[in-house]
Amino acid sequence: MRGYIPTWSSLKEHNVPKWYDDAKLGIFIHWGPYSVPAWAPTTGELGEVPQGEWFENNPYAEWYLNSLRIKRSPTWKHHVEKYGKNFDYYKFVDMWKAEKWDPKEWVELFKKAGAKYVIPTTKHHDGFCLWPSKYTDFNAMNRGPKRDLIGELAKAVKDEGLKFGVYYSGALDWRFTKEPITTSEDIRFIIRPHTYEYSDYAYKQFEELIEKYKPDILWNDIGWPEKGREDLKYLFAHFYNKNPEGVVNDRWDVSHWDFKTPEYKQNYPEGIPSYKWELCRGLGFSFGYNQNESDKEVLSSEKLIYLLVEVVSKGGNLLLNVGPKADGTIPEIQRERLLTLGKWLEKNGEAIYDTTSWNMEKTETTDGTEVRFTRKDPNLYCILLGTPQYKELTLKSLRIDVKSVVTLMSTGEKLKHQVEGENTKIFFPRLPEEFCTTILKISPV
Ligand code: GLC
């Protein structure tokens, strides 16, 4: 194969590889010194909380340091009360021990959840590096856990045959900026490290991550220092030449990307996008572990499954976040959701993995149940976000050819169907007893 050269037009020739399009579910991990206080107000979902209220009441626990820098914010109050006014955030680094961490156990859980790739934070906005970087001593081998967290995790992930990605906060490093971010303009332009030196540092660290851990995904966050943006052509060409099946996300402030990254409700696509995309979100309102979250904030298993179906039906992947505790264990409520999702996928994955979207985005039944579609040649999967309450069910605005075979996926039973005007009526021999979704497989003959 001809290699990529460091020009934007050469990089454009890179296509989204099939493995990534087919994967559908990945696990994001936010783990760092912020996992020690593990605290944020449970304000709500990004995109639903009014902009002006976001930063002071930031529900992202990994933003603890920024929230603390905002005097009188709920986090500031909590911090002063619990640790005292003079307690520096960076003291949490040495309190982070990861003493119960077993990377193999994590990966076993992610695999059971049905995930095909795993992306940990290698450096979040607080600047602490989770691998022994030769460019800074401020890393997990020297301080805190005293282990190469990224190396150990990368090995466990690859040993299980999953793909591995690296998250890196390219535009923010709060060791170099002292003012709190209070508006989205601050993030975009103002409160960023702007020096050549920092830009170089970020570039070299990405290069180092590529050399050491051979990732399949480069997942940069927030943006890239302005001074170094043209350099990214070199970084991407180098990455693709090493790993032509690799992908890069869209948060670099440059024209090239393989997939877009809406977050919670922010930038959630309307209709079926023509590009590849990946939704990221936590199970609750935070990425980093927030001890204030309970059942009330965390997605129910049912909602989680509906979300995955909805995202996949629109051609997306779901990058579902796990926020481990400082000791390296995964909170019970998160484990439970992952395992339930995995059980569902074990039975119903045929209608999820390796599928594409269809030309119709969605419909509903006449009794108001939402319906989504996925496709895998030659079949169409019709996924009901709910369990039918009656033995007869009418799908709106969908005419299923009389010659097609309709199968109830869970049991393999053939169901009778009949076109009525623009709609199709389906007849069940008895009420389906499924957990939260009913899937009809429609096969042409
Ligand atoms: C963000 C946040 C953040 C989180 C993330 C995940 O924009 O700043 O804390 O890591 O993106 O998508």
Side-chain angles (χ1 to χ4, degrees):
M1 200 205 81
R2 211 182 112 238
Y4 292 91
I5 55 169
T7 63
W8 298 118
S9 57
S10 173
L11 297 169
K12 240 197 207 139
E13 286 166 33
H14 185 261
N15 295 319
V16 174
K18 191 168 161 17
W19 75 263
Y20 179 75
D21 198 16
D22 287 349
K24 311 305 182 194
L25 181 65
I27 297 288
F28 217 2
I29 304 166
H30 279 63
W31 199 30
Y34 46 80
S35 312
V36 174
W39 198 96
T42 53
T43 309
E45 283 188 25
L46 180 69
E48 284 193 334
V49 177
Q51 271 284 331
E53 289 165 35
W54 180 261
F55 292 101
E56 192 166 338
N57 304 291
N58 200 329
Y60 287 0
E62 71 279 11
W63 274 67
Y64 190 94
L65 173 56
N66 190 72
S67 308
L68 174 61
R69 286 174 172 175
I70 304 176
K71 295 273 165 322
R72 315 212 179 279
S73 70
T75 300
W76 179 86
K77 284 184 194 144
H78 166 78
H79 188 82
V80 170
E81 226 166 78
K82 173 129 194 222
Y83 304 100
K85 234 181 33 229
N86 298 320
F87 189 101
D88 188 87
Y89 170 83
Y90 287 107
K91 279 195 184 165
F92 290 130
V93 169
D94 298 308
M95 291 163 72
W96 180 25
K97 297 283 185 235
E99 67 275 18
K100 293 188 187 152
W101 186 50
D102 178 356
K104 282 201 189 121
E105 237 176 63
W106 277 16
V107 176
E108 205 178 294
L109 174 67
F110 304 155
K111 236 191 145 170
K112 273 194 190 153
K116 303 294 182 197
Y117 59 97
V118 178
I119 307 180
T121 48
T122 63
K123 182 197 89 163
H124 204 265
H125 310 334
D126 62 12
F128 189 62
C129 297
L130 274 64
W131 81 100
S133 173
K134 62 177 173 213
Y135 303 108
T136 180
D137 288 341
F138 192 54
N139 72 58
M141 200 69 175
N142 276 332
R143 308 262 312 262
K146 302 254 169 72
R147 285 165 78 172
D148 176 2
L149 305 176
I150 298 306
E152 289 189 45
L153 182 62
K155 180 168 185 327
V157 166
K158 291 178 185 195
D159 282 353
E160 284 300 321
L162 304 182
K163 300 279 188 181
F164 184 71
V166 287
Y167 165 106
Y168 183 89
S169 169
L172 295 183
D173 192 317
W174 291 333
R175 286 172 310 148
F176 303 117
T177 52
K178 303 291 174 223
E179 286 291 298
I181 288 163
T182 57
T183 68
S184 31
E185 277 61 46
D186 285 351
I187 303 192
R188 270 206 296 280
F189 309 110
I190 306 164
I191 310 201
R192 287 182 170 199
H194 288 298
T195 61
Y196 278 115
E197 206 186 348
Y198 174 73
S199 165
D200 229 40
Y201 173 76
Y203 187 99
K204 284 187 192 147
Q205 288 208 312
F206 248 120
E207 221 180 16
E208 187 181 39
L209 289 167
I210 294 170
E211 293 320 306
K212 276 178 95 89
Y213 308 116
K214 305 186 174 38
D216 303 294
I217 304 162
L218 303 186
W219 212 105
N220 186 60
D221 198 10
I222 307 289
W224 197 255
E226 207 178 334
K227 291 182 165 64
R229 286 183 197 158
E230 285 302 310
D231 299 350
L232 291 175
K233 295 181 295 213
Y234 299 87
L235 186 75
F236 292 171
H238 172 65
F239 173 59
Y240 289 153
N241 286 333
K242 288 212 139 211
N243 186 354
E245 296 266 285
V247 284
V248 303
N249 76 340
D250 67 334
R251 299 188 183 183
W252 306 79
D253 296 326
V254 295
S255 57
H256 181 75
W257 45 269
D258 290 303
F259 62 93
K260 287 206 170 267
T261 55
E263 183 170 322
Y264 286 89
K265 298 272 155 54
Q266 188 164 282
N267 302 326
Y268 193 81
E270 296 226 355
I272 301 173
S274 55
Y275 49 82
K276 184 63 192 177
W277 64 286
E278 175 197 72
L279 175 75
C280 61
R281 63 160 293 158
L283 281 157
F285 302 153
S286 176
F287 287 94
Y289 173 50
N290 179 5
Q291 53 176 309
N292 294 326
E293 286 186 351
S294 62
D295 255 339
K296 212 172 114 225
E297 291 81 21
V298 174
L299 282 176
S300 67
S301 299
E302 211 169 345
K303 288 234 172 83
L304 175 59
I305 290 164
Y306 293 172
L307 178 70
L308 177 67
V309 170
E310 146 87 18
V311 166
V312 171
S313 75
K314 286 155 69 80
N317 287 4
L318 175 62
L319 181 61
L320 185 63
N321 182 77
V322 166
K325 293 187 179 176
D327 66 6
T329 59
I330 293 173
E332 194 43 45
I333 189 162
Q334 299 183 26
R335 279 185 79 80
E336 193 271 331
R337 296 301 192 273
L338 293 183
L339 290 172
T340 316
L341 179 62
K343 276 205 191 109
W344 183 86
L345 277 166
E346 219 172 85
K347 275 207 206 142
N348 302 291
E350 178 189 335
I352 299 292
Y353 299 118
D354 314 326
T355 61
T356 59
S357 54
W358 190 42
N359 50 31
M360 187 167 160
E361 186 195 349
K362 56 181 166 185
T363 187
E364 54 181 11
T365 63
T366 44
D367 49 352
T369 304
E370 292 277 331
V371 179
R372 299 288 182 274
F373 303 99
T374 60
R375 247 193 81 80
K376 180 161 32 183
D377 249 1
N379 303 315
L380 174 69
Y381 297 94
C382 189
I383 309 177
L384 272 64
L385 305 184
T387 308
Q389 303 299 313
Y390 307 98
K391 287 201 281 186
E392 288 180 8
L393 175 123
T394 304
L395 296 162
K396 280 198 202 167
S397 315
L398 182 73
R399 300 168 58 112
I400 302 177
D401 194 287
V402 267
K403 282 179 274 158
S404 293
V405 177
V406 178
T407 315
L408 179 62
M409 211 178 81
S410 58
T411 62
E413 288 164 286
K414 306 259 177 296
L415 306 180
K416 269 203 218 133
H417 71 282
Q418 175 181 309
V419 176
E420 292 183 344
E422 290 308 303
N423 307 335
T424 301
K425 191 182 251 182
I426 310 280
F427 300 88
F428 293 93
R430 81 201 88 76
L431 277 181
E433 287 167 24
E434 290 171 76
F435 168 66
C436 82
T437 58
T438 294
I439 304 182
L440 306 174
K441 177 171 166 179
I442 302 166
S443 321
V445 268

